[in-house]
Amino acid sequence: MNYTFRMLPVIASDLAHSRQLTALLAGALETTSAELEADLQYQHARQPVQAWLAYEGNQLIGCKLGYERQPGHYYSWLGGVHPDFRGRGVAGELMRQQHAWCQEQGYRRIRTHTYNRWRAMLLLNLRHGFDIVGTVQGTRGLTIVLEKNVLPAGGQ
C-alpha cells in the first residue's frame, strides 16, 4: 500500500482536524471522542502538541501525538491506527518518524505509557528500543511506564 506521512509541529485547533483525530483515537483506544477532545484541549493549553499523521489517500489512518515533558525529555502520548490498517507497519513508521524528530530536536529521552491489554503497542515499544522502567496504578488499571534514550552514546 502507498501511505503518506505528515508531521504537524503544533496540532491545528480547527474543529474538522480535531474531529478526525479524536474519531481515530476513540476507535483505537476504546474511549469516547468527548473524553479525548477534553484531553487534547487540556494538553494543548499547557504546551504545544506535535502530531505525526498517516494517510491513505485523504483518509487519516494513523497518528502519533507527543509533547515536551521537560527540557530534554519528550512524552510520546497518544497513538493509534485504524483497525483496517493494522499490521501493515503504519504504527512503526509513525514511531520511527517521531523518534527521529526527537533526536533532531536534541531530546535525550522519550517516555511513554501503555497497558497490558494493548499488547501490540507494548511489543512495538519494546521492538523500538524502549525499556520498561516501572508501573503505576491508574484509573484504568496498571500502567506500564517505558523509556528510551534517543541520543547516541556520548550525546549530551
Side-chain angles (χ1 to χ4, degrees):
M1 294 288 162
N2 193 15
Y3 305 120
T4 304
F5 294 90
R6 180 175 150 204
M7 189 269 188
L8 298 176
V10 177
I11 293 177
S13 58
D14 71 83
L15 196 54
H17 191 245
S18 176
R19 285 188 180 146
Q20 280 186 324
L21 276 174
T22 55
L24 174 70
L25 288 168
L29 301 176
E30 303 162 5
T31 190
T32 67
S33 291
E35 183 180 352
L36 283 165
E37 284 176 18
D39 287 348
L40 284 168
Q41 287 175 1
Y42 172 78
Q43 196 57 50
H44 190 66
R46 296 180 69 211
Q47 71 264 338
V49 176
Q50 294 78 43
W52 287 261
L53 308 172
Y55 294 88
E56 182 180 64
N58 292 325
Q59 181 185 359
L60 179 65
I61 61 166
C63 67
K64 190 84 175 135
L65 308 181
Y67 57 86
E68 182 175 280
R69 288 178 54 224
Q70 62 190 44
H73 295 253
Y74 195 80
Y75 185 68
S76 182
W77 180 31
L78 295 173
V81 174
H82 188 283
D84 292 347
F85 296 91
R86 290 182 182 159
R88 299 181 188 183
V90 174
E93 179 59 21
L94 288 166
M95 185 179 290
R96 188 196 67 70
Q97 288 187 19
Q98 182 187 60
H99 295 184
W101 180 85
C102 285
Q103 190 172 18
E104 289 169 8
Q105 302 304 307
Y107 288 103
R108 295 182 305 279
R109 186 167 308 193
I110 300 173
R111 175 176 280 199
T112 193
H113 296 168
T114 193
Y115 297 98
N116 194 49
R117 73 174 188 242
W118 293 327
R119 298 226 175 138
M121 183 52 68
L122 176 58
L123 293 171
L124 180 69
N125 283 314
L126 292 171
R127 280 194 306 273
H128 282 263
F130 279 91
D131 293 315
I132 296 172
V133 296
T135 58
V136 178
Q137 186 60 48
T139 57
R140 296 183 181 148
L142 192 64
T143 302
I144 301 167
V145 182
L146 301 106
E147 285 191 352
K148 174 182 178 177
N149 291 324
V150 289
L151 284 183
Q156 301 277 322

